[in-house]
Coordinates of all heavy atoms in Angstrom, one line a residue:
F1 N 0.9 -1.2 0.0 CA 0.0 0.0 0.0 C 0.9 1.2 0.0 O 2.1 1.2 0.3 CB -0.9 0.0 1.2 CG -0.2 0.2 2.5 CD1 -0.2 1.4 3.1 CD2 0.3 -0.9 3.2 CE1 0.5 1.6 4.3 CE2 0.9 -0.8 4.4 CZ 1.0 0.5 5.0
S2 N 0.3 2.4 -0.3 CA 1.1 3.6 -0.5 C 0.6 4.7 0.5 O -0.6 4.7 0.8 CB 1.0 4.1 -1.9 OG 1.5 3.2 -2.8
V3 N 1.5 5.5 1.0 CA 1.2 6.6 1.8 C 1.7 7.9 1.1 O 2.9 7.9 0.8 CB 1.7 6.5 3.2 CG1 1.4 7.7 4.0 CG2 1.2 5.2 3.9
L4 N 0.8 8.9 0.9 CA 1.2 10.1 0.3 C 1.1 11.2 1.3 O 0.0 11.4 1.9 CB 0.4 10.4 -0.9 CG 0.6 11.8 -1.6 CD1 2.0 11.9 -2.2 CD2 -0.5 12.1 -2.6
M5 N 2.2 12.0 1.5 CA 2.1 13.1 2.5 C 2.5 14.4 1.8 O 3.4 14.4 0.9 CB 3.1 12.9 3.7 CG 2.8 11.6 4.4 SD 3.8 11.4 5.9 CE 3.0 12.7 6.9
L6 N 1.8 15.5 2.1 CA 2.1 16.8 1.5 C 1.8 17.9 2.4 O 1.1 17.7 3.4 CB 1.3 16.9 0.2 CG -0.2 16.9 0.3 CD1 -0.8 18.3 0.4 CD2 -0.9 16.2 -0.9
D7 N 2.4 19.0 2.2 CA 2.1 20.2 2.9 C 2.0 21.4 1.9 O 2.4 21.3 0.8 CB 3.1 20.5 4.0 CG 4.5 20.9 3.5 OD1 4.7 20.8 2.3 OD2 5.3 21.3 4.3
L8 N 1.5 22.5 2.4 CA 1.3 23.7 1.5 C 2.4 24.7 1.7 O 2.6 25.1 2.9 CB -0.1 24.3 1.9 CG -1.3 23.4 1.8 CD1 -2.6 24.2 2.1 CD2 -1.5 22.9 0.4
D9 N 3.1 25.0 0.7 CA 4.2 26.0 0.7 C 3.6 27.4 0.9 O 2.6 27.7 0.4 CB 5.1 25.9 -0.5 CG 5.8 24.6 -0.7 OD1 6.0 23.9 0.4 OD2 6.1 24.2 -1.8
S10 N 4.3 28.1 1.7 CA 4.0 29.6 1.9 C 2.6 29.8 2.5 O 2.0 30.8 2.2 CB 4.2 30.3 0.6 OG 5.5 30.2 0.0
F11 N 2.0 28.8 3.2 CA 0.7 29.0 3.7 C 0.7 30.1 4.8 O -0.3 30.8 4.9 CB 0.2 27.7 4.3 CG -1.2 27.8 4.9 CD1 -2.3 27.9 4.1 CD2 -1.4 27.7 6.3 CE1 -3.6 28.0 4.6 CE2 -2.6 27.8 6.8 CZ -3.8 27.9 6.0
K12 N 1.8 30.2 5.5 CA 1.8 31.2 6.6 C 1.7 32.6 6.0 O 1.1 33.5 6.6 CB 3.2 31.1 7.3 CG 3.3 32.0 8.5 CD 4.6 31.7 9.3 CE 4.7 32.6 10.5 NZ 4.7 34.1 10.2
A13 N 2.2 32.8 4.8 CA 2.1 34.1 4.1 C 0.7 34.4 3.8 O 0.3 35.6 3.9 CB 3.0 34.1 2.8
I14 N -0.1 33.4 3.5 CA -1.5 33.7 3.2 C -2.2 34.2 4.5 O -3.0 35.1 4.5 CB -2.2 32.4 2.7 CG1 -1.6 32.0 1.3 CG2 -3.7 32.6 2.5 CD1 -2.2 30.7 0.8
N15 N -1.9 33.5 5.6 CA -2.5 33.9 6.9 C -2.1 35.3 7.3 O -2.9 36.1 7.7 CB -2.2 32.9 8.0 CG -3.0 31.6 7.9 OD1 -4.1 31.6 7.3 ND2 -2.5 30.6 8.4
D16 N -0.8 35.6 7.1 CA -0.3 36.9 7.5 C -0.8 38.0 6.6 O -1.1 39.1 7.1 CB 1.3 36.9 7.4 CG 1.9 35.9 8.5 OD1 1.1 35.6 9.4 OD2 3.0 35.5 8.3
R17 N -0.9 37.8 5.3 CA -1.3 38.8 4.4 C -2.9 39.0 4.3 O -3.4 40.1 4.3 CB -0.7 38.5 3.0 CG -1.0 39.7 2.0 CD -0.2 39.5 0.7 NE -0.7 38.4 0.0 CZ -0.1 37.2 -0.2 NH1 1.1 37.1 0.4 NH2 -0.6 36.3 -0.9
L18 N -3.6 37.9 4.3 CA -5.1 37.9 4.0 C -5.9 37.6 5.3 O -7.1 37.8 5.3 CB -5.5 36.9 2.9 CG -4.8 37.2 1.6 CD1 -5.2 36.1 0.6 CD2 -5.1 38.6 1.0
G19 N -5.2 37.1 6.3 CA -6.0 36.8 7.5 C -6.3 35.3 7.7 O -6.3 34.6 6.7
H20 N -6.6 34.9 8.9 CA -6.9 33.5 9.1 C -8.2 33.0 8.5 O -8.3 31.8 8.1 CB -6.9 33.2 10.6 CG -5.5 33.3 11.3 ND1 -4.6 32.2 11.2 CD2 -4.9 34.3 11.9 CE1 -3.5 32.6 11.8 NE2 -3.6 33.8 12.3
L21 N -9.2 33.8 8.3 CA -10.4 33.4 7.7 C -10.1 33.0 6.2 O -10.7 32.0 5.7 CB -11.5 34.5 7.8 CG -12.1 34.7 9.2 CD1 -13.1 35.8 9.1 CD2 -12.7 33.4 9.7
A22 N -9.3 33.8 5.6 CA -8.9 33.5 4.2 C -8.1 32.2 4.1 O -8.3 31.4 3.2 CB -8.1 34.6 3.6
G23 N -7.3 32.0 5.1 CA -6.5 30.8 5.2 C -7.4 29.6 5.4 O -7.2 28.5 4.8
D24 N -8.5 29.7 6.2 CA -9.4 28.6 6.4 C -10.2 28.3 5.1 O -10.4 27.1 4.8 CB -10.4 29.0 7.5 CG -9.8 29.0 8.9 OD1 -8.7 28.5 9.1 OD2 -10.5 29.6 9.8
R25 N -10.6 29.3 4.4 CA -11.2 29.1 3.1 C -10.3 28.3 2.2 O -10.7 27.5 1.4 CB -11.7 30.4 2.5 CG -12.9 31.0 3.2 CD -13.6 32.1 2.4 NE -12.7 33.2 2.1 CZ -12.6 34.3 2.9 NH1 -13.2 34.4 4.0 NH2 -11.7 35.3 2.5
F26 N -9.0 28.7 2.2 CA -8.1 28.0 1.3 C -7.9 26.6 1.7 O -7.9 25.7 0.9 CB -6.7 28.7 1.5 CG -5.7 28.3 0.4 CD1 -5.7 28.8 -0.9 CD2 -4.7 27.4 0.8 CE1 -4.8 28.4 -1.8 CE2 -3.8 26.9 -0.2 CZ -3.8 27.5 -1.4
L27 N -7.9 26.3 3.0 CA -7.8 24.9 3.5 C -9.1 24.1 3.1 O -9.0 22.9 2.8 CB -7.6 24.8 5.0 CG -6.2 25.3 5.5 CD1 -6.2 25.4 7.0 CD2 -5.1 24.4 5.0
V28 N -10.2 24.7 3.2 CA -11.5 24.1 2.8 C -11.4 23.7 1.4 O -11.8 22.5 1.0 CB -12.7 25.0 3.1 CG1 -14.0 24.4 2.5 CG2 -12.9 25.1 4.6
R29 N -10.9 24.6 0.5 CA -10.9 24.3 -0.9 C -9.9 23.2 -1.2 O -10.1 22.3 -2.0 CB -10.5 25.5 -1.7 CG -10.4 25.3 -3.2 CD -11.7 24.7 -3.7 NE -11.6 24.4 -5.1 CZ -12.3 23.4 -5.7 NH1 -13.1 22.7 -5.0 NH2 -12.1 23.2 -7.0
V30 N -8.8 23.2 -0.5 CA -7.8 22.1 -0.6 C -8.4 20.7 -0.2 O -8.2 19.7 -0.9 CB -6.5 22.4 0.2 CG1 -5.6 21.2 0.3 CG2 -5.8 23.6 -0.3
G31 N -9.1 20.7 0.9 CA -9.8 19.5 1.3 C -10.8 19.0 0.2 O -10.9 17.8 0.0
E32 N -11.5 19.9 -0.4 CA -12.5 19.5 -1.5 C -11.7 18.9 -2.7 O -12.1 17.9 -3.2 CB -13.3 20.7 -1.9 CG -14.2 21.3 -0.9 CD -14.9 22.5 -1.3 OE1 -14.5 23.1 -2.3 OE2 -15.8 23.0 -0.6
V33 N -10.6 19.5 -3.0 CA -9.8 19.0 -4.2 C -9.3 17.6 -3.8 O -9.3 16.7 -4.7 CB -8.7 20.0 -4.5 CG1 -7.7 19.3 -5.5 CG2 -9.2 21.3 -5.0
I34 N -8.8 17.4 -2.6 CA -8.3 16.1 -2.2 C -9.4 15.1 -2.3 O -9.2 13.9 -2.8 CB -7.6 16.2 -0.8 CG1 -6.4 17.0 -0.9 CG2 -7.4 14.8 -0.3 CD1 -5.7 17.2 0.5
K35 N -10.6 15.4 -1.7 CA -11.7 14.4 -1.7 C -12.2 14.1 -3.2 O -12.5 13.0 -3.5 CB -12.9 14.9 -0.9 CG -12.6 14.9 0.6 CD -13.9 15.1 1.4 CE -14.4 16.6 1.2 NZ -15.6 16.8 2.0
E36 N -12.1 15.1 -4.0 CA -12.5 14.9 -5.4 C -11.5 14.0 -6.1 O -11.9 13.2 -7.1 CB -12.6 16.2 -6.2 CG -13.8 17.1 -5.7 CD -13.7 18.5 -6.3 OE1 -12.8 18.8 -7.0 OE2 -14.6 19.3 -6.0
T37 N -10.2 14.0 -5.7 CA -9.2 13.3 -6.4 C -9.1 11.8 -5.9 O -8.7 10.9 -6.6 CB -7.8 13.9 -6.1 OG1 -7.9 15.3 -6.5 CG2 -6.7 13.3 -7.0
M38 N -9.5 11.6 -4.6 CA -9.4 10.3 -4.0 C -10.3 9.3 -4.6 O -11.4 9.6 -5.0 CB -9.6 10.4 -2.5 CG -8.6 11.2 -1.7 SD -7.0 10.5 -1.6 CE -6.2 11.5 -3.0
R39 N -9.9 8.0 -4.5 CA -10.8 6.9 -4.8 C -11.6 6.5 -3.6 O -11.3 7.0 -2.5 CB -10.0 5.7 -5.3 CG -9.1 6.0 -6.6 CD -8.1 4.9 -6.8 NE -7.2 4.8 -5.6 CZ -6.3 3.9 -5.6 NH1 -6.1 3.0 -6.6 NH2 -5.5 3.8 -4.5
A40 N -12.6 5.6 -3.8 CA -13.5 5.2 -2.7 C -12.7 4.5 -1.6 O -13.0 4.7 -0.4 CB -14.6 4.3 -3.2
A41 N -11.6 3.8 -1.9 CA -10.9 3.0 -0.9 C -9.8 3.9 -0.2 O -9.1 3.4 0.7 CB -10.2 1.8 -1.6
D42 N -9.5 5.1 -0.7 CA -8.5 5.9 -0.1 C -9.0 6.6 1.1 O -10.2 6.8 1.4 CB -8.0 7.0 -1.1 CG -7.4 6.3 -2.3 OD1 -6.8 5.2 -2.2 OD2 -7.4 6.9 -3.4
T43 N -8.0 7.0 2.0 CA -8.4 7.6 3.3 C -7.6 8.9 3.4 O -6.4 9.0 3.7 CB -7.9 6.7 4.5 OG1 -8.5 5.4 4.3 CG2 -8.4 7.3 5.8
P44 N -8.3 10.0 3.0 CA -7.6 11.4 3.1 C -7.7 11.9 4.5 O -8.7 11.7 5.2 CB -8.5 12.2 2.2 CG -9.8 11.6 2.2 CD -9.6 10.1 2.4
C45 N -6.6 12.6 5.0 CA -6.5 13.0 6.3 C -5.8 14.4 6.4 O -4.9 14.7 5.6 CB -5.6 12.0 7.1 SG -5.0 12.6 8.7
R46 N -6.3 15.2 7.3 CA -5.6 16.5 7.6 C -4.7 16.1 8.8 O -5.1 15.9 9.9 CB -6.6 17.6 8.0 CG -5.9 18.9 8.3 CD -6.8 19.9 8.8 NE -6.1 21.2 9.0 CZ -6.7 22.3 9.6 NH1 -7.9 22.2 10.0 NH2 -5.9 23.4 9.8
Y47 N -3.4 16.1 8.5 CA -2.4 15.6 9.5 C -2.2 16.7 10.6 O -1.9 16.3 11.7 CB -1.1 15.2 8.8 CG -0.2 14.3 9.6 CD1 -0.6 12.9 9.7 CD2 0.9 14.8 10.3 CE1 0.2 12.1 10.4 CE2 1.7 13.9 11.0 CZ 1.3 12.5 11.1 OH 2.1 11.7 11.8

C-alpha cells in the first residue's frame, strides 16, 4: 500500500497577508480537491 504526504508551501504568508479566515477558506478548498481526487478506498487526512 502507499502513503502520500504533502504540505502547503507559503501557507503562513496567506494567513499573514489575508488573515486566518482566508486561510481557512483556502484549507477548505484544498480539502475539497483532495476528496474529489481520492478513490473510494483511499483515506484522506488532515495531519
Side-chain angles (χ1 to χ4, degrees):
F1 67 96
S2 302
V3 178
L4 172 66
M5 302 190 67
L6 61 94
D7 66 352
L8 304 179
D9 293 338
S10 305
F11 180 73
K12 184 176 183 301
I14 296 176
N15 284 335
D16 293 342
R17 187 170 67 252
L18 301 177
H20 287 278
L21 291 179
D24 289 345
R25 288 195 298 271
F26 190 81
L27 291 174
V28 169
R29 181 54 187 150
V30 170
E32 293 173 352
V33 171
I34 291 176
K35 287 192 294 184
E36 292 170 359
T37 307
M38 294 294 98
R39 300 167 302 178
D42 295 333
T43 305
C45 162
R46 184 186 180 189
Y47 201 76

